Amino acid sequence: MKKKILVTGGCGYIGSHTIIELIQSGRYEVVSVDSNVRSTPETMDRVEKITGVKVKNYRVDICNGPAFFKIFEEHPDIQGVIHFAAFKAVGESIEEPLMYYRNNLGALANVLEACRHFNIKALIFSSSCAVYGEVQTLPVSEQTPMGQAFCPYAHTKQIGEEMIRNMMVPNPDMNALILRYFNPVGAHMSGLNGELSPDKPNNLVPIIMRVASGKQPSMTVFGDDYDTRDGSCIRDYLHVSDIADAHVKALDYLLEHRNEQQCEVFNLGSGNGVSVLEMLAAAEQVTGRKLHYVIGGRRAGDIPAIYGDSSRANTLLHWHCHYDVHDMMESAWKWEQYLDSKNI
Ligand code: NAD
Ligand code: WQD
């Protein structure tokens, strides 16, 4: 008998890839809630094309408590919630901090309220390596203390984690996993699902793909004077389908009662630091195109290097990355070409 899971933000980038992995595991049935404030309903058509399963998405703003709770009334057999829905752009959060606190924390408050009211015992929360702030020691483990949040977005993740821990105290039946993602990139290996970036993307791989496909003539590498092996910043990139797979394993872990504490934290990274220039070289190799870039100044708020130690997830969740940087670029490139072919 399949277990029913509610995925919030299911039409988004990581949510949709996670739904694919949940369905393909054969163990889970999915209901999604996504207001499409940062996505489109067509995502579910792409999920169907890959899995053969049509997932129901409720187009509801989770900040609207009564509308959100109705979903649980319609589905009293929901056993777990994976909460992806949030705003995630660092720069926008600096421009519109209240929008970030309201949406990210208001939605989480309703998710926690629903878990309590409808007796949902398993919650998985999307956190971020952004909670660590400017780290001094690498790799970053779950024990690394949180630093000063460098933007309101990162702060919503720090507060969100604390809200979850607070809710565990008066609700001893509730269990939660906090997953701190490093830099998820790439697309489904079929090239049929990926990230719908804003017109002016902020993140490295979508920008690289815009240059590779000729939508943008060149790009800027933000700094080559860092104390790193080639002077450019180092990050821990991992394939979105690997992140998605980690959620299936995290649910298994909670629903099989393998957790030792009510609330546990896991880093999700590949453990490898890759520089911006190395990412560009990988993209040139995969796309067969020369990528034009200029070396610019450092981007405000960037830290020179961060990569994670995910051995806790490797050992306890039995989760390992299957895809490397070449796969990340190959899938992102396939997805870019798919979007071009559909004029999206
Ligand atoms: P995304 O923007 O692609 O997906 C988020 C989805 O949530 C969107 O479809 C949006 O429409 C929906 N949403 C937002 N607020 C909502 C609300 N109030 N009610 C209903 N739906 C709402 O983002 P993503 O990359 O898939 O990220 C998913 C989660 O992972 C987020 O919590 C994000 O902070 C976290 N995360 C992402 C990254 C990353 O680099 N992508 C890294 C670390 C953590
Ligand atoms: C990667 C590297 C840039 C664009 C962000 C969030 C973080 C988390 C993951 C959500 C950096 C460099 C980029 C460009 C460049 N998200 N770069 N030229 O900043 O590591 O992390 O996403 O939780 O919270 O901050 O990702 O993709 O923006 O940048 O040189 O045009 O690429 O300087 O070193 P970042 P990114």
Side-chain angles (χ1 to χ4, degrees):
M1 175 87 169
K2 288 181 187 166
K3 294 173 179 161
K4 192 182 279 185
I5 305 301
L6 180 72
V7 172
T8 80
C11 297
Y13 175 47
I14 307 175
S16 60
H17 286 86
T18 299
I19 291 177
I20 293 167
E21 298 301 320
L22 285 168
I23 293 170
Q24 290 184 337
S25 76
R27 297 190 289 283
Y28 297 104
E29 182 189 342
V30 181
V31 175
S32 163
V33 51
D34 193 312
S35 63
N36 295 137
V37 59
R38 293 290 154 93
S39 56
T40 62
E42 286 74 43
T43 308
M44 289 308 174
D45 300 336
R46 296 197 295 269
V47 169
E48 184 179 8
K49 200 157 184 195
I50 294 169
T51 63
V53 175
K54 180 95 191 154
V55 172
K56 162 96 179 145
N57 179 60
Y58 287 84
R59 204 167 179 173
V60 164
D61 181 347
I62 298 163
C63 295
N64 177 346
F68 179 53
F69 298 156
K70 240 178 122 206
I71 302 170
F72 291 85
E73 282 157 16
E74 269 183 47
H75 298 274
D77 50 344
I78 289 173
Q79 297 197 26
V81 174
I82 309 184
H83 180 45
F84 290 105
F87 292 149
K88 63 165 180 179
V90 170
E92 185 185 53
S93 80
I94 295 169
E95 297 301 318
E96 297 283 351
L98 290 181
M99 190 172 106
Y100 271 68
Y101 287 109
R102 278 203 187 100
N103 192 58
N104 292 5
L105 300 181
L108 176 60
N110 282 342
V111 166
L112 288 166
E113 182 68 57
C115 287
R116 180 170 63 173
H117 189 80
F118 296 97
N119 201 22
I120 310 288
K121 297 190 175 75
L123 170 67
I124 294 177
F125 175 65
S126 299
S127 189
S128 168
C129 63
V131 299
Y132 293 114
E134 182 152 5
V135 287
Q136 308 300 333
T137 315
L138 291 169
V140 177
S141 86
E142 293 84 355
Q143 273 73 49
T144 301
M146 285 187 190
Q148 170 82 38
F150 54 81
C151 65
Y153 164 70
H155 199 206
T156 67
K157 292 298 179 190
Q158 292 181 336
I159 301 171
E161 291 196 7
E162 208 47 41
M163 281 168 67
I164 293 171
R165 282 192 203 94
N166 293 163
M167 277 298 282
M168 295 297 127
V169 178
N171 298 289
D173 285 347
M174 215 185 257
N175 297 279
L177 296 189
I178 290 169
L179 305 183
R180 295 178 180 155
Y181 317 153
F182 282 72
N183 289 53
V185 298
H188 192 263
M189 289 307 284
S190 64
L192 297 175
N193 189 44
E195 182 167 24
L196 281 180
S197 301
D199 290 343
K200 283 197 165 179
N202 307 301
N203 297 113
L204 181 64
V205 173
I207 293 172
I208 287 178
M209 291 301 144
R210 280 179 65 81
V211 176
S213 65
K215 292 187 195 78
Q216 164 175 337
S218 83
M219 59 178 286
T220 303
V221 171
F222 297 136
D224 71 345
D225 57 352
Y226 287 99
D227 184 16
T228 59
R229 53 183 175 262
D230 61 19
S232 65
C233 287
I234 289 183
R235 296 288 181 271
D236 186 342
Y237 300 95
L238 76 165
H239 193 277
V240 66
S241 294
D242 277 328
I243 280 262
D245 175 49
H247 290 74
V248 181
K249 297 197 157 73
L251 263 182
D252 293 344
Y253 181 77
L254 274 188
L255 294 174
E256 289 165 11
H257 312 292
R258 285 189 277 130
N259 52 316
E260 288 189 348
Q261 326 244 324
Q262 246 187 300
C263 180
E264 296 186 5
V265 181
F266 290 92
N267 278 345
L268 294 182
S270 72
N272 288 324
V274 180
S275 77
V276 176
L277 292 171
E278 289 164 350
M279 290 294 273
L280 278 160
E284 286 190 335
Q285 203 202 0
V286 165
T287 62
R289 303 202 175 174
K290 174 92 196 96
L291 299 175
H292 297 284
Y293 63 85
V294 293
I295 304 290
R298 295 179 173 195
R299 183 172 71 173
D302 263 345
I303 53 172
I306 181 166
Y307 49 92
D309 171 357
S310 299
S311 48
R312 230 182 96 74
N314 301 152
T315 311
L316 294 174
L317 303 182
H318 310 303
W319 171 75
H320 298 275
C321 287
H322 287 106
Y323 300 108
D324 61 15
V325 170
H326 187 275
D327 300 319
M328 297 175 207
M329 290 301 176
E330 189 179 275
S331 57
W333 182 228
K334 268 193 189 172
W335 169 241
E336 190 72 23
Q337 290 170 311
Y338 173 85
L339 289 175
D340 285 349
S341 73
K342 304 269 176 209
N343 276 322
I344 302 174

